[in-house]
Amino acid sequence: MSALVAPVSAVAGPHSERVQGGAVVSVEQAADLTAEEVAGELRGKIDSSQVRYGVTAYRVTYRTTDSTGAPTTASQLVVLPKNGERHLSTVSWLHGTTVYRKDVASENPKSDDRLAALLFASTGRAVSAPDYVGLGSGEGFHPYGDPRATVSASVDGLRAARTVAHRNGRELKRKVQVSGFSQGGPATMLVGRALQQEDADRYFRPGALAPVGGPYNLSAFEAAAADDKIAKSGIYLAYFVTAWNRMYGLYSSPGDAFRAPYDRKVEGLFDGRHTAEQIVGELPAASKDLFTEGFLNKIRKPDGVLKDRLRPMDNTCDWRPNAPVEIFHGRGDKDVDFDHATYCADQLTRNGAAHRLTDVGDYDHSGSVQQALPRIIRFFDESAKTG
């Protein structure tokens, strides 16, 4: 696979802004598939009946900013359909919790996020699937759940995708269809709001929002993890705590938060180079066995910097989108309770926003997104006709 690398000065077009956010650093072809091959990749995991076109996928490195606003690079998968259309609708696909930096759409051909991107593109859409900051081939650590870095990587990813499309003689339409799973659920709402209210980009605007299985009340989610009321609670909470400690300083030393002997190893495990299986093999699944009781009480009743930083993540749905919104969730989800979907819907209702809430059925966390994806495509098709 050939790499197409150009200096930033050559690719920073008129839609590049702010520290050259979105400027392309490198492009490498990652896959070239016929429609039949796309359907084969999806078989047994996601309904492939909506596949129409072959696709070409690119691994793209681009410039963005981290949780402090400092310049960095990030990677993503950009997928273009082989349908002959010059003007393409665009999907921004925002992935869920990922601890291993290679387990993302740009790097792992078998990841669910790669399959989602292939599916969307095979329906005739361009797809930007950012790995976020600190995952894939991007620099630094992943600031898990940080709203600033989430928005910058996603919006700059759209800019970079537009440059890749231009190089292929194609243009991305202004209205972006944004969707994401789990961590990507609130990310969907953050990115939609940034594009609408903050004019995060001069060109792109939200066209439709379809979050899936997201924890829209992060304070409640982390408190439930502290009480071991969700699946894999200790692992989720440890990832959150170690990342937010690096950003915001939640404890003075690991022993303040973690029980021995885990206090000596937990931070090193969440370095992006360990797989989920390796981490699960080293740490207890229950928060009560991993954390000190005193620290768990701080998670249950946050104050100070933790409370301040959680507030934006408890209000990702607290605005009025001018684009259609459909929230997807599964009642069988043991990782993120269905209450989070109704919480988001209630916030939208209070703001007078039109929205739908769809229960995809009695499926677990991973199963719910596989069920949601074909419905999201139908929702996007419907939204494009009415928009």
Side-chain angles (χ1 to χ4, degrees):
M1 297 180 182
S2 61
L4 308 174
V5 183
V8 173
S9 59
V11 297
H15 52 278
S16 296
E17 312 155 51
R18 296 184 299 107
V19 201
Q20 296 180 312
V24 172
V25 176
S26 66
V27 181
E28 179 184 8
Q29 185 173 300
D32 188 64
L33 304 172
T34 65
E36 292 75 17
E37 288 170 331
V38 173
E41 292 291 322
L42 299 176
R43 191 168 296 120
K45 291 192 173 182
I46 303 170
D47 177 17
S48 63
S49 62
Q50 293 162 305
V51 172
R52 295 288 179 270
Y53 308 104
V55 304
T56 306
Y58 302 92
R59 188 178 298 111
V60 180
T61 304
Y62 59 97
R63 300 200 183 281
T64 188
T65 50
D66 64 16
S67 59
T68 69
T72 189
T73 60
S75 55
Q76 68 170 331
L77 191 75
V78 173
V79 195
L80 302 177
K82 296 194 280 189
N83 63 349
E85 292 289 332
R86 184 170 182 275
H87 295 274
L88 298 171
S89 296
T90 306
V91 169
S92 176
W93 173 253
L94 308 177
H95 69 73
T97 299
T98 305
V99 294
Y100 178 48
R101 66 162 50 241
K102 299 295 185 183
D103 196 20
V104 289
S106 74
E107 297 278 353
N108 182 357
K110 300 302 180 183
S111 74
D112 287 345
D113 296 300
R114 170 75 68 94
L115 298 183
L118 296 179
L119 174 62
F120 282 122
S122 75
T123 66
R125 296 167 167 88
V127 179
S128 165
D131 301 328
Y132 304 147
V133 172
L135 296 173
S137 60
E139 301 168 341
F141 83 103
H142 175 48
Y144 181 42
D146 176 71
R148 183 177 188 175
T150 297
V151 170
S152 65
S154 304
V155 174
D156 290 338
L158 284 167
R159 294 190 181 111
R162 190 177 176 209
T163 295
V164 173
H166 280 167
R167 293 183 185 181
N168 283 271
R170 308 172 90 170
E171 176 62 271
L172 305 187
K173 295 179 181 178
R174 294 193 73 193
K175 289 190 174 181
V176 183
Q177 299 166 335
V178 189
S179 184
F181 168 59
S182 192
Q183 176 187 356
T188 295
M189 303 308 294
L190 284 167
V191 170
R193 182 167 58 190
L195 291 174
Q196 175 178 306
Q197 296 184 348
E198 301 167 26
D199 292 340
D201 184 74
R202 293 176 186 170
Y203 180 76
F204 291 109
R205 293 292 178 269
L209 307 176
V212 187
Y216 309 103
N217 184 350
L218 192 59
S219 294
F221 178 81
E222 302 303 345
D227 288 335
D228 288 318
K229 291 180 178 178
I230 63 173
K232 302 182 286 290
S233 55
I235 307 302
Y236 272 122
L237 189 55
Y239 193 18
F240 166 76
V241 167
T242 53
W244 281 42
N245 182 64
R246 291 182 73 164
M247 291 186 285
Y248 313 131
L250 303 186
Y251 53 79
S252 298
S253 69
D256 295 338
F258 301 99
R259 295 180 183 273
Y262 309 113
D263 57 333
R264 294 193 296 273
K265 65 167 85 170
V266 66
E267 290 184 332
L269 288 170
F270 291 98
D271 61 357
R273 293 187 291 273
H274 289 78
T275 67
E277 291 76 18
Q278 288 172 324
I279 294 170
V280 169
E282 292 284 338
L283 300 179
S287 293
K288 64 182 176 60
D289 298 324
L290 179 55
F291 289 89
T292 65
E293 185 62 21
F295 190 80
L296 289 177
N297 283 331
K298 293 181 179 180
I299 299 295
R300 293 175 183 123
K301 296 181 179 179
D303 59 13
V305 66
L306 178 58
K307 183 177 181 179
D308 291 342
R309 294 295 183 173
L310 279 169
R311 190 175 295 113
M313 297 305 295
D314 293 344
N315 294 292
T316 58
C317 299
D318 191 12
W319 57 292
R320 183 174 181 171
N322 57 20
V325 180
E326 187 163 359
I327 306 160
F328 296 86
H329 215 104
R331 288 209 175 265
D333 193 332
K334 299 294 190 293
D335 292 49
V336 182
D337 194 87
F338 196 89
D339 285 350
H340 284 274
T342 56
Y343 174 92
C344 178
D346 288 346
Q347 286 190 325
L348 290 169
T349 297
R350 286 198 296 273
N351 284 280
H355 63 277
R356 292 195 305 233
L357 172 55
T358 297
D359 178 2
V360 300
D362 190 20
Y363 294 91
D364 65 12
H365 196 51
S366 297
S368 65
V369 67
Q370 293 170 352
Q371 292 296 315
L373 282 166
R375 304 180 196 213
I376 292 170
I377 290 169
R378 290 193 290 271
F379 167 58
F380 283 167
D381 287 344
E382 170 192 311
S383 302
K385 290 174 184 174
T386 57

